[in-house]
Amino acid sequence: MHHRLPLLAGLAVIAVWGLNFPLQKAILGQVSPLANVGTRYFITPVCALLLMLWRYGWHWPRLSPEELRPLVVVAVVGQVLHLVFAAWGMQHSTAFSASVLLAVGPVFTLLILRASGVEHLGRAQIAGVAVACAGALAFTGDKLLQLQWQASFGDLVLLLAAALFSYYTVASKPLIAHHGGVVMLCYGTFAATLPAWLLTSPALLSLDWMAVPHWVWWGQLWQVAGGGFLGWLAWGWANERNGVARTAPLIYLMPVVAGFASWLWAGEQFGAAKLLAAGVVLAGVALAQFGAKR
């Protein structure tokens, strides 16, 4: 049982992250995307502060002046704008679509690495990118054929959110290599808080706080503190103990959890063509990410 704990922890994190998609969709039915992101930043700095105190006490690692500017840029793009576009896209799309399209992120990461000359793509990776793109086109094409312009726009915004997070993944790599993931996550959160409040302040000021159901705030707290910070720590622990090669593929179970929860909870319906296209997307992403490895 002790040897299975990392696997069980990884599966538990995937379950929580998958369930967060229909929960987020329900929350967006009560508050706007900007208000949703703005209120999250009342919680994330507190979580980041507690995490830094737990990890380093009062002796926090210092960043050089040359590292501060890229940290702010990366945090604003990879955290604030990513969250805004992800919430905006999900509001106009569905929880299942969001879980599938946001999973395309590793493909964008490979393309960014290739465009910047950091990494060469092998044949398997190129094939994976092509398969994932074809699957994404098939996955979103049914809405275009049915002239569901709002849902199609939401899907495109979700792909943009995935691309922004891929930029965050690549751009934060030097800082993570130098200071570690915890420092990058927490300092990035601190750097993103003020820009997030400035961007979302009109929505926060116009929000009727007393009219929002209490479960929305509990849901937000759980998403940020539970699924976000604690989930991230548990995922990192599972990667460390079980190995990235064994743990990382579990991420492709997340759309399965999100889809089942959306069907059970919100009554979302999927046809065979939709499920097949989702499978093609995830297969392409898996091939692009792991095709070069034995």
Side-chain angles (χ1 to χ4, degrees):
M1 187 64 184
H2 176 73
H3 297 294
R4 295 180 182 177
L5 281 177
L7 175 61
L8 295 175
L11 288 172
V13 172
I14 292 301
V16 169
W17 286 349
L19 292 172
N20 273 344
F21 281 95
L23 174 59
Q24 175 75 351
K25 180 67 177 177
I27 290 174
L28 290 171
Q30 302 292 328
V31 297
S32 70
L34 285 178
N36 172 247
V37 174
T39 51
R40 286 173 70 97
Y41 275 91
F42 289 108
I43 307 171
T44 51
V46 178
C47 293
L49 175 62
L50 293 176
L51 180 55
M52 288 294 288
L53 290 174
W54 170 73
R55 186 67 178 269
Y56 298 103
W58 295 105
H59 304 287
W60 294 7
R62 294 184 179 182
L63 300 182
S64 66
E66 293 77 16
E67 292 174 318
L68 290 177
R69 183 177 178 276
L71 172 71
V72 173
V73 173
V74 167
V76 170
V77 174
Q79 290 195 30
V80 181
L81 294 183
H82 162 72
L83 287 174
V84 168
F85 283 116
W88 194 14
M90 187 183 292
Q91 186 184 51
H92 295 290
S93 187
T94 64
F96 180 55
S97 294
S99 67
V100 172
L101 295 175
L102 290 176
V104 180
V107 171
F108 289 118
T109 301
L110 286 175
L111 293 176
I112 293 172
L113 289 171
R114 178 64 183 88
S116 59
V118 175
E119 186 170 323
H120 175 74
L121 299 187
R123 293 180 179 179
Q125 291 174 307
I126 293 174
V129 171
V131 170
C133 291
L137 183 61
F139 188 81
T140 58
D142 63 327
K143 297 175 183 178
L144 289 172
L145 292 176
Q146 297 172 18
L147 302 181
Q148 298 178 8
W149 303 116
Q150 187 178 43
S152 299
F153 174 74
D155 288 346
L156 292 175
V157 173
L158 287 168
L159 287 173
L160 176 59
L164 291 175
F165 191 76
S166 295
Y167 163 80
Y168 173 79
T169 302
V170 175
S172 62
K173 206 170 182 180
L175 291 170
I176 292 177
H178 189 198
H179 297 287
V182 170
V183 173
M184 178 60 200
L185 174 67
C186 294
Y187 281 175
T189 298
F190 296 144
T193 298
L194 181 57
W197 284 342
L198 292 175
L199 178 63
T200 62
S201 57
L204 293 176
L205 291 173
S206 62
L207 179 65
D208 187 356
W209 296 80
M210 300 302 296
V212 178
H214 290 169
W215 66 263
V216 171
W217 307 127
W218 287 112
Q220 293 245 108
L221 178 62
W222 166 249
Q223 282 190 317
V224 175
F229 278 82
L230 293 180
W232 182 83
L233 289 173
W235 184 254
W237 180 81
N239 274 314
E240 181 182 348
R241 295 297 180 91
N242 207 32
V244 176
R246 291 184 176 183
T247 306
L250 296 177
I251 202 76
Y252 301 113
L253 292 174
M254 189 165 60
V256 178
V257 176
F260 181 75
S262 299
W263 169 76
L264 188 65
W265 184 5
E268 190 175 338
Q269 301 295 317
F270 325 106
K274 193 78 169 179
L275 294 174
L276 178 60
V280 172
V281 171
L282 297 177
V285 173
L287 180 59
Q289 191 169 7
F290 302 107
K293 300 178 176 63
R294 294 185 59 182

